[in-house]
Amino acid sequence: MKRTERYTAAGMALGVVADALVGDPRKGHPVAVFGGRVAALENRIYADSRARGTLFTAICVGAVAGIGVAADRLTRGRPLARTAVTAAATWAVLGGTTLGREGAHMAASLESGDLAAARARLPHLCGRDPSRLDAPELARATVESIAENTSDAAVAPLFWGAVAGVPGLLAYRAINTLDAMVGHRSPRHERFGWASARLDDAANLAPARLTGLLTVALAPVARGSSRRALAALRRDGHRHPSPNSGQCEAAFAGALGVRLGGVNDYGGRREARPELGDGPRPAVPDIRRAVRLARAVSWTAAALAVGARWAVAARRGASAAR
């Protein structure tokens, strides 16, 4: 068993490196394939009720978690297979490299004054209507999306990989994908998506707070203040409508010395978000600072996750030797 844990740790490390080198493919990504299957099932099973939505969530997450459990059992005692399967699963669920690239694309478009390109790019990061956003609002949307998705795309899957290996990696990504597809508040998904949204909240409780703390510790990477980041996290982290997004956004706001929040337009549905942080509104140069901070947080989370799995192997090995 101790060797199995070491190969799990090695596979996670290789998966992190693969994400850094390759990122997400434009076509045929496993998460996109899963999303297509989920959409087909939704069309068959949909009803405007929480009970039907809970059944839908259980089927989707249960199927993916079952694949993870099967993979875990089939690769016990098979070092190369365990390493390869864990590496593939880690690569498939991570999105930190693509997140950083999207942020860099937004920064480049805004730095060159190309608002049309920036507006066309924003849907890659979030669901806001970009048609009437100016450069400062596009910068705010980008920084907020980078902050929130640093947890969703990197820290959270790594956290669950450290806790439960391949089943944890796959189950988390299934939960998060379901939330993105049906967990938002809309007339169609208000009740049907309730279970997916609540499950995603639960799965992100610990990772979001870890993201906030790592952001505080690594604020100097973005020429920011850890003290200011901690103050913003403690004061404003609970003010966001999401129990988790506020932890990430408040910490980033303090680390970057900016003020996030405000009115967001989601294609005609407007939401007024509380302000987080006490600095000026984000400017275009803050996007690259946010990307740099997000990468530092992601790599640190990866080191912690791999180290945690390795520590489990060492502890079990020491116990077996007694």
Side-chain angles (χ1 to χ4, degrees), residues 107-188:
S109 296
L110 291 172
E111 287 163 356
S112 66
D114 193 344
L115 282 181
R119 287 168 177 161
R121 200 88 199 184
L122 187 64
H124 292 251
L125 284 166
C126 64
R128 298 179 202 179
D129 180 2
S131 60
R132 289 179 289 184
L133 298 184
D134 57 12
E137 280 298 298
L138 287 166
R140 176 172 75 87
T142 302
V143 171
E144 289 176 354
S145 297
I146 290 171
E148 177 182 359
N149 286 302
T150 297
S151 180
D152 290 354
V155 178
L158 289 165
F159 174 88
W160 286 109
V163 169
V166 171
L169 290 165
L170 298 185
Y172 173 77
R173 182 50 63 211
I175 292 168
N176 190 246
T177 302
L178 285 178
D179 179 63
M181 295 181 68
V182 304
H184 50 86
R185 293 186 176 181
S186 67
R188 177 177 174 84

Side-chain angles (χ1 to χ4, degrees), residues 3-215:
R3 291 183 177 178
T4 295
E5 297 297 343
R6 289 177 181 174
Y7 297 129
T8 299
M12 288 181 65
L14 287 174
V16 170
V17 172
D19 177 65
L21 295 176
V22 179
D24 296 336
R26 294 184 178 182
K27 295 181 179 180
H29 194 285
V31 175
V33 174
F34 171 73
R37 301 293 186 270
V38 166
L41 178 62
E42 180 190 351
N43 289 333
R44 297 184 60 182
I45 203 175
Y46 176 82
D48 188 18
S49 75
R50 287 187 176 183
R52 190 64 66 88
T54 300
L55 175 62
F56 168 78
T57 301
I59 292 172
C60 294
V61 176
V64 173
I67 292 172
V69 170
D72 182 77
R73 291 180 177 177
L74 289 172
T75 57
R76 286 179 183 173
R78 301 172 62 190
L80 292 180
R82 170 56 64 98
T83 302
V85 166
T86 306
T90 303
W91 165 79
V93 304
L94 289 179
T97 296
T98 297
L99 175 65
R101 289 174 180 173
E102 290 298 334
H105 284 310
M106 284 292 294
S109 296
L110 291 172
E111 287 163 356
S112 66
D114 193 344
L115 282 181
R119 287 168 177 161
R121 200 88 199 184
L122 187 64
H124 292 251
L125 284 166
C126 64
R128 298 179 202 179
D129 180 2
S131 60
R132 289 179 289 184
L133 298 184
D134 57 12
E137 280 298 298
L138 287 166
R140 176 172 75 87
T142 302
V143 171
E144 289 176 354
S145 297
I146 290 171
E148 177 182 359
N149 286 302
T150 297
S151 180
D152 290 354
V155 178
L158 289 165
F159 174 88
W160 286 109
V163 169
V166 171
L169 290 165
L170 298 185
Y172 173 77
R173 182 50 63 211
I175 292 168
N176 190 246
T177 302
L178 285 178
D179 179 63
M181 295 181 68
V182 304
H184 50 86
R185 293 186 176 181
S186 67
R188 177 177 174 84
H189 294 132
E190 180 73 30
R191 284 180 283 273
F192 183 78
W194 174 85
S196 293
R198 298 292 77 76
L199 184 58
D200 183 73
D201 286 343
N204 282 291
L205 278 173
R209 282 146 186 81
L210 175 59
T211 301
L213 293 175
L214 290 176
T215 300

